[in-house]
Amino acid sequence: MAEPAGGVARGIQSLISARNSLKSSLEKSKAIGLALEKTSPRFDEIEQRLPSLEAAVRPIRADREALVAVGGHINRAVGPAATILKVFDAVHGLEKSLLSDPKNDLSSYLSVLKRLEEALRFLGENCGLAIQWLEDIVEYLEDHSVADEKYLSSLKKSLRGLREFQQDKARLDGGLKDAALDKLENEFRRLLQDNSVPLPMASSSLGDQPCIAPSQLPVTVIHKLQAILGRLRANNRLDKCVSVYVEVRSSNVRASLQALDLDYLDISVNEFNDVQSIEGYISQWGNHLEFAVKHLFEAEFKLCNDVFERFGSNVWMDCFSKIAAQAGMLAFLRFGKTVTDSKTDPIKLLKLLDIFTSLNKLRADFNRLFGGQACVEIQNYTRDLIKKLIDGAAEIFWELLVQVEIQKQIPPPSDGGVPRLVSFVTDYCNKLIGDKYKSTLTQVLLIHKSWRSERFQENQLTVEVLRIIKMIEQNMDAWMKAYPDQTLAHFFGMNNHWHLYKNLKGTRIGDKLGDSWLKEHDQYKEYYATVFLRDSWGKLPSHLSREGLILFSGGHATARDLVKKRLKSFNDAFEEMYKKQSAWVVPEKDLRDRVCQQIVQAVVPVYRSYMQNYGPLVEKDASSSKYVRYTVVALEKMLSSLYVPRPMRYGSFKGTPPSEKLKSDVDLRRTTSAVV
């Protein structure tokens, strides 16, 4: 009976255990059900991501041998790619330094920039290789089906983006290098502008500075400029630097020249009638050109060499040529050409020689400064100007004799004075063979003859000048014959022979003509002066004859009538002669004083004696003023003041030249004011 009871107990216990287990299972199921209900949205999300997850884990599901083989390829590609990423990160680490102002520490800035260039060079050289390796990995995965198509498509798209990125060099640094180079260019300009100061000067000081102007930039600044140029040249920006340099330095030279007042360089041919109107500028031009070449352009030439010497002569010579052109060198040459194009007249010859002298004086400087290929424009302009100067000067000179000869056709001066042609030519010819012009004119004529394969004799210049003087003699003879009044003709001869004698004696022309030639003109002067006085004023005393004036008792009335008659005759003749000769002139003061003294000596003593002896006869007469018109003092004063030149111009000496090389209406006389 005991066993059954024990079995039941065990059965009940088993049921209880089963109930408890079932209850626990139900509770767990209920909890799972609640949990499932809560996580249902997540399952939906997971379900949507399963395709991509499947693709991601596909390689893991590949054959073990394929996975082992691809591992080596991946390691070889990822290593360089990782290195490139580190370099790329380092590039962006330089951004702060390179966006700062180079002025603060130029040396450090250039060092950082060089590091950037090296990093970019590394990226440029290795990015393509790294991408190629990555592309090889993708191709391997595709060939061995290690990854599915969607995964491979995504990789290919990323690699195409990398390839485009790598081909666009500027995107490697996000434009950082260009920004840094722009800052260096700005610093280059700032250094130039801050240290380019116009040369202080005044026009009056020209010619007093024999030394060459020193460099206008401190050595430390030059070194900084060179350092900047080195980096910019390494990045193909040298041309931009040259442009900046030319802009700043040419502006500096122009500012230095402003003090010289060079507005006259812009004068055109149409703005003046002849070379006289600008001859004052021609003298200034020579001084200004010499100053500009020897002080300003010489300094710029040296400075260009100092700054750009490391980059070759072509660079700095090209730089200098642009500075010279932009600073105004061509303007100087254009002014010279304007003078050559001006109206032709004899005084222009001297101005052409002045310009040639200035250029010839600077010939060595021109060859050294502007002799390179870069300065070909200045060379061509200078060569053309010199040719025009030589041709123009030679043509004027060889036409002078013709121009003097044709003046023979025009009438002589009505005042009996020295024609402007005579005074001009004598002084002009003295200048041509004087110290200032003889060697230059000889050189010009020699060059001109050589261009035509003609010989030029050493004394040919002097011979031609003497021919011109002798032509003046012939003109004088022709003019004397043209006077209808022989007294005026003799007066003219006296004036002009004395002028030749006085103005050529002691000169080179006078020495060449010889003492006998000069003495001959002095004798001609004496002869014509004697004849002139005899035939004019020498006749006046004859009107004061004493014949019949014997005073005796009862003869006063007769004597008084004779005195009145003779005084009236004298006065009428004197006034007529004085009126006519008051319009005559003796330009040379020494001759004028001498002639007036001779006239006074010929007339006044006779008049004084006559008035002392016979004046009382008429002075008491009520009509005495009709006969005694002049006191001795007044008469002497009037005669002593004759022949004084008045401020006037003689009639033009014009003629038509036989050659069109000298234009019509050539007026030799009008240029005298510039020479005398």
Side-chain angles (χ1 to χ4, degrees):
M1 293 295 292
E3 281 184 4
V8 172
R10 285 194 297 270
I12 294 172
Q13 186 65 35
S14 296
L15 288 173
I16 293 172
S17 297
R19 179 178 65 84
N20 290 336
S21 176
L22 181 59
K23 183 178 180 181
S24 175
S25 296
L26 288 174
E27 289 177 352
K28 289 180 179 181
S29 296
K30 185 178 181 180
I32 290 172
L34 292 173
L36 288 172
E37 185 178 353
K38 291 180 180 179
T39 58
S40 179
R42 293 185 62 191
F43 284 126
D44 294 338
E45 182 180 351
I46 291 171
E47 185 177 5
Q48 294 176 1
R49 293 177 58 191
L50 280 176
S52 60
L53 290 174
E54 181 182 7
V57 299
R58 173 71 180 273
I60 301 175
R61 292 157 43 196
D63 294 341
R64 187 168 182 270
E65 293 180 359
L67 290 175
V68 172
V70 80
H73 290 286
I74 292 174
N75 289 336
R76 284 193 299 273
V78 170
T83 301
I84 289 174
L85 288 176
K86 290 179 181 179
V87 174
F88 188 76
D89 289 339
V91 165
H92 288 279
L94 303 176
E95 183 173 350
K96 181 177 180 181
S97 297
L98 293 177
L99 294 181
S100 63
D101 194 338
K103 177 173 72 172
N104 299 328
D105 189 346
L106 180 61
S107 178
S108 297
Y109 192 92
L110 292 172
S111 177
V112 173
L113 178 58
K114 188 173 182 180
R115 287 167 55 194
L116 173 65
E117 293 172 11
E118 292 171 351
L120 293 177
R121 191 178 306 113
F122 176 85
L123 292 175
E125 294 172 353
N126 293 280
C127 277
L129 182 59
I131 293 172
Q132 181 62 52
W133 284 341
L134 292 174
E135 288 174 342
D136 290 344
I137 290 297
V138 173
E139 184 178 351
Y140 182 88
L141 294 175
E142 186 176 25
D143 292 344
H144 293 78
S145 301
V146 177
D148 64 6
E149 293 183 1
K150 190 171 184 181
Y151 179 77
L152 293 173
S153 176
S154 176
L155 287 177
K156 290 179 180 179
K157 181 177 180 181
S158 297
L159 289 175
R160 281 197 300 271
L162 286 176
R163 181 66 72 180
E164 293 174 358
F165 184 86
Q166 179 260 337
Q167 291 174 351
D168 186 357
K169 303 293 186 182
R171 294 176 62 186
L172 288 175
D173 66 342
L176 179 60
K177 187 176 76 168
D178 286 342
L181 294 175
D182 289 343
K183 284 184 172 292
L184 276 184
E185 286 181 358
N186 292 335
E187 177 63 8
F188 186 83
R189 179 186 291 274
R190 186 196 68 79
L191 284 170
L192 281 174
Q193 290 178 336
D194 289 354
N195 293 278
S196 295
V197 181
L199 188 65
M201 58 189 172
S203 298
S204 60
S205 67
L206 291 183
D208 299 331
Q209 304 181 35
C211 61
I212 299 302
S215 169
Q216 295 298 299
L217 295 181
V219 175
T220 55
V221 173
I222 292 177
H223 289 166
K224 289 182 178 181
L225 293 174
Q226 289 175 334
I228 293 174
L229 286 170
R231 294 268 47 84
L232 291 174
R233 186 194 190 190
N235 290 278
N236 299 318
R237 290 208 183 191
L238 185 60
D239 289 345
K240 181 67 178 296
C241 289
V242 170
S243 298
V244 171
Y245 186 91
V246 170
E247 175 191 342
V248 175
R249 292 305 298 181
S250 60
S251 175
N252 189 66
V253 174
R254 287 196 301 271
S256 296
L257 291 173
Q258 282 180 355
L260 302 181
D261 189 15
L262 300 179
D263 291 344
Y264 68 87
L265 295 180
D266 297 324
I267 294 177
S268 66
V269 176
N270 297 328
E271 291 181 277
F272 58 89
N273 296 322
D274 54 53
V275 77
Q276 281 191 91
S277 62
I278 61 167
E279 65 173 322
Y281 292 136
I282 295 174
S283 177
Q284 292 183 42
W285 178 88
N287 292 331
H288 291 164
L289 176 62
E290 181 176 359
F291 184 87
V293 170
K294 286 187 171 293
H295 293 268
L296 299 179
F297 292 121
E298 174 71 32
E300 293 304 321
F301 183 84
K302 180 180 182 301
L303 189 58
C304 281
N305 182 30
D306 290 344
V307 173
F308 294 97
E309 61 178 340
R310 300 177 184 175
F311 310 104
S313 60
N314 290 339
V315 174
W316 70 264
M317 282 297 295
D318 180 65
C319 184
F320 171 73
S321 70
K322 291 176 180 176
I323 291 174
Q326 294 184 22
M329 188 61 215
L330 291 176
F332 279 104
L333 299 176
R334 279 193 293 268
F335 177 82
K337 184 177 181 299
T338 298
V339 176
T340 65
D341 293 337
S342 63
K343 184 178 179 180
T344 299
D345 60 34
I347 197 64
K348 179 180 174 180
L349 169 58
L350 301 182
K351 300 301 110 181
L352 295 180
L353 294 178
D354 286 339
I355 294 176
F356 179 85
T357 299
S358 296
L359 291 174
N360 196 42
K361 183 179 179 181
L362 296 171
R363 180 173 57 180
D365 298 284
F366 265 68
N367 290 338
R368 181 168 49 84
L369 298 179
F370 311 115
Q373 182 62 32
C375 295
V376 65
E377 183 179 13
I378 293 177
Q379 294 169 25
N380 291 338
Y381 220 108
T382 303
R383 192 179 299 112
D384 182 62
L385 173 57
I386 291 176
K387 186 177 187 307
K388 285 181 175 292
L389 291 171
I390 292 175
D391 286 342
E395 289 172 4
I396 293 175
F397 178 77
W398 295 120
E399 287 280 356
L400 283 175
L401 182 64
V402 175
Q403 290 300 310
V404 171
E405 183 179 12
I406 62 177
Q407 305 302 312
K408 189 186 302 181
Q409 305 167 6
I410 56 100
S414 60
D415 59 11
V418 178
R420 192 64 65 92
L421 174 69
V422 175
S423 59
F424 170 75
V425 168
T426 52
D427 188 75
Y428 186 77
C429 288
N430 269 326
K431 287 181 177 293
L432 291 182
I433 64 172
D435 292 335
K436 183 176 180 181
Y437 291 109
K438 182 179 180 181
S439 61
T440 303
L441 181 55
T442 300
Q443 182 181 5
V444 165
L445 296 177
L446 177 62
I447 295 172
H448 189 259
K449 287 283 188 180
S450 68
W451 287 348
R452 300 186 176 191
S453 300
E454 299 174 359
R455 295 186 62 186
F456 181 76
Q457 301 295 333
E458 184 178 352
N459 65 337
Q460 195 167 351
L461 170 59
T462 301
V463 170
E464 189 69 15
V465 168
L466 295 183
R467 289 180 65 196
I468 294 172
I469 294 297
K470 291 177 180 179
M471 182 57 68
I472 285 290
E473 289 184 288
Q474 296 179 28
N475 286 14
M476 286 166 49
D477 292 340
W479 288 330
M480 284 189 66
K481 294 175 182 178
Y483 281 111
D485 185 342
Q486 284 302 300
T487 301
L488 181 56
H490 296 149
F491 184 83
F492 172 85
M494 173 193 71
N495 265 324
N496 285 270
H497 284 286
W498 175 248
H499 179 85
L500 289 181
Y501 173 80
K502 180 180 179 181
N503 288 277
L504 295 180
K505 183 179 181 181
T507 66
R508 290 187 179 180
I509 294 179
D511 294 341
K512 296 293 182 181
L513 290 168
D515 290 337
S516 60
W517 185 92
L518 293 170
K519 186 176 181 180
E520 181 180 0
H521 281 281
D522 187 34
Q523 292 172 344
Y524 271 125
K525 180 266 298 181
E526 290 294 338
Y527 170 76
Y528 287 123
T530 300
V531 174
F532 159 70
L533 289 170
R534 183 196 67 193
D535 294 345
S536 56
W537 299 102
K539 293 181 178 181
L540 274 181
S542 64
H543 293 282
L544 299 177
S545 172
R546 301 188 181 210
E547 184 179 355
L549 296 179
I550 300 176
L551 300 180
F552 53 87
S553 178
H556 286 281
T558 302
R560 183 168 47 251
D561 290 340
L562 284 174
V563 169
K564 287 181 179 180
K565 181 179 179 181
R566 290 169 183 174
L567 281 175
K568 184 178 184 302
S569 175
F570 173 86
N571 289 333
D572 290 344
F574 169 79
E575 288 172 355
E576 180 183 358
M577 194 175 302
Y578 184 85
K579 181 180 179 181
K580 179 172 69 173
Q581 295 195 22
S582 290
W584 298 2
V585 298
V586 179
E588 305 285 353
K589 185 178 184 303
D590 50 353
L591 178 61
R592 182 170 65 249
D593 291 344
R594 182 179 175 185
V595 169
C596 288
Q597 184 181 9
Q598 290 175 340
I599 294 173
V600 168
Q601 290 174 350
V603 176
V604 173
V606 175
Y607 184 74
R608 179 186 294 112
S609 176
Y610 196 84
M611 292 304 296
Q612 287 175 347
N613 292 322
Y614 305 111
L617 292 176
V618 295
E619 287 173 351
K620 296 178 182 179
D621 193 283
S623 60
S624 63
S625 59
K626 292 173 58 178
Y627 307 103
V628 185
R629 301 177 190 175
Y630 307 100
T631 65
V632 174
V633 174
L635 187 68
E636 182 175 358
K637 185 176 181 180
M638 291 174 68
L639 294 174
S640 298
S641 61
L642 281 169
Y643 313 129
V644 178
R646 291 164 178 75
M648 60 180 292
R649 299 178 71 89
Y650 301 130
S652 295
F653 286 83
K654 298 181 180 179
T656 303
S659 169
E660 292 184 359
K661 293 177 182 177
L662 287 182
K663 300 178 182 178
S664 61
D665 292 339
V666 174
D667 186 354
L668 293 175
R669 174 198 58 75
R670 63 187 170 81
T671 59
T672 306
S673 60
V675 180
V676 181

Coordinates of all heavy atoms in Angstrom, one line a residue, residues 226 245 300-310 316:
Q226 N 64.8 89.3 -55.6 CA 65.4 88.1 -56.2 C 64.8 86.8 -55.7 O 64.5 85.9 -56.4 CB 66.9 88.1 -56.1 CG 67.6 89.2 -56.9 CD 69.1 89.2 -56.6 OE1 69.6 88.8 -55.6 NE2 69.8 89.7 -57.6
Y245 N 57.5 95.1 -62.6 CA 58.7 95.9 -62.4 C 58.8 97.0 -63.4 O 59.1 98.1 -63.1 CB 59.9 94.9 -62.6 CG 61.2 95.5 -62.4 CD1 61.8 95.5 -61.1 CD2 61.9 96.2 -63.4 CE1 63.1 96.1 -60.9 CE2 63.2 96.8 -63.2 CZ 63.7 96.7 -61.9 OH 64.9 97.3 -61.7
E300 N 68.8 102.6 -64.2 CA 67.8 101.6 -64.5 C 68.4 100.4 -65.1 O 68.1 99.2 -64.8 CB 66.6 102.1 -65.3 CG 65.8 103.2 -64.6 CD 65.2 102.7 -63.3 OE1 64.8 101.5 -63.2 OE2 65.2 103.5 -62.4
F301 N 69.4 100.6 -66.0 CA 70.1 99.5 -66.7 C 70.8 98.7 -65.7 O 70.8 97.5 -65.7 CB 71.1 100.2 -67.7 CG 71.9 99.2 -68.5 CD1 71.3 98.7 -69.7 CD2 73.1 98.8 -68.1 CE1 72.0 97.8 -70.4 CE2 73.9 97.9 -68.9 CZ 73.3 97.4 -70.0
K302 N 71.5 99.4 -64.8 CA 72.3 98.7 -63.7 C 71.3 97.9 -62.8 O 71.6 96.8 -62.4 CB 73.1 99.6 -62.9 CG 74.0 99.0 -61.8 CD 74.8 100.1 -61.1 CE 75.7 99.4 -60.1 NZ 74.9 98.7 -59.0
L303 N 70.2 98.6 -62.4 CA 69.3 98.0 -61.5 C 68.6 96.7 -62.1 O 68.4 95.7 -61.4 CB 68.3 99.0 -61.1 CG 67.3 98.6 -59.9 CD1 68.2 98.3 -58.7 CD2 66.3 99.7 -59.6
C304 N 68.3 96.8 -63.4 CA 67.7 95.6 -64.0 C 68.6 94.5 -64.0 O 68.2 93.3 -63.7 CB 67.3 96.0 -65.5 SG 65.8 96.9 -65.7
N305 N 69.9 94.8 -64.2 CA 70.9 93.7 -64.2 C 71.0 93.1 -62.8 O 71.1 91.9 -62.6 CB 72.2 94.3 -64.6 CG 73.3 93.2 -64.7 OD1 73.1 92.0 -64.9 ND2 74.6 93.6 -64.4
D306 N 71.0 94.0 -61.8 CA 71.1 93.5 -60.4 C 70.0 92.6 -60.0 O 70.1 91.6 -59.3 CB 71.2 94.7 -59.4 CG 72.5 95.5 -59.6 OD1 73.5 94.9 -60.2 OD2 72.6 96.6 -59.1
V307 N 68.8 93.0 -60.4 CA 67.6 92.3 -59.9 C 67.4 91.0 -60.7 O 67.0 90.0 -60.1 CB 66.3 93.2 -60.0 CG1 65.0 92.5 -59.7 CG2 66.4 94.4 -59.1
F308 N 67.6 91.1 -62.0 CA 67.3 89.9 -62.9 C 68.5 89.1 -63.4 O 68.3 88.3 -64.3 CB 66.4 90.4 -64.1 CG 65.1 90.9 -63.7 CD1 64.9 92.3 -63.6 CD2 64.0 90.1 -63.5 CE1 63.7 92.8 -63.3 CE2 62.8 90.6 -63.2 CZ 62.6 92.0 -63.1
E309 N 69.7 89.4 -62.8 CA 70.9 88.8 -63.4 C 70.8 87.3 -63.3 O 71.4 86.6 -64.2 CB 72.1 89.3 -62.6 CG 72.1 89.0 -61.1 CD 73.4 89.5 -60.4 OE1 74.4 89.7 -61.1 OE2 73.4 89.6 -59.2
R310 N 70.1 86.7 -62.3 CA 70.1 85.2 -62.2 C 69.2 84.6 -63.3 O 69.2 83.3 -63.4 CB 69.5 84.8 -60.8 CG 70.4 85.4 -59.7 CD 69.7 85.0 -58.3 NE 70.5 85.6 -57.2 CZ 70.1 85.5 -55.9 NH1 68.9 84.8 -55.6 NH2 70.8 86.0 -55.0
W316 N 66.6 90.5 -68.3 CA 66.8 91.9 -67.8 C 67.0 92.9 -68.9 O 66.6 94.1 -68.8 CB 67.9 92.0 -66.8 CG 69.3 91.8 -67.3 CD1 70.1 90.7 -67.3 CD2 70.2 92.8 -67.8 NE1 71.3 90.9 -67.8 CE2 71.4 92.2 -68.1 CE3 70.0 94.2 -68.0 CZ2 72.5 93.0 -68.6 CZ3 71.1 94.9 -68.5 CH2 72.3 94.3 -68.8

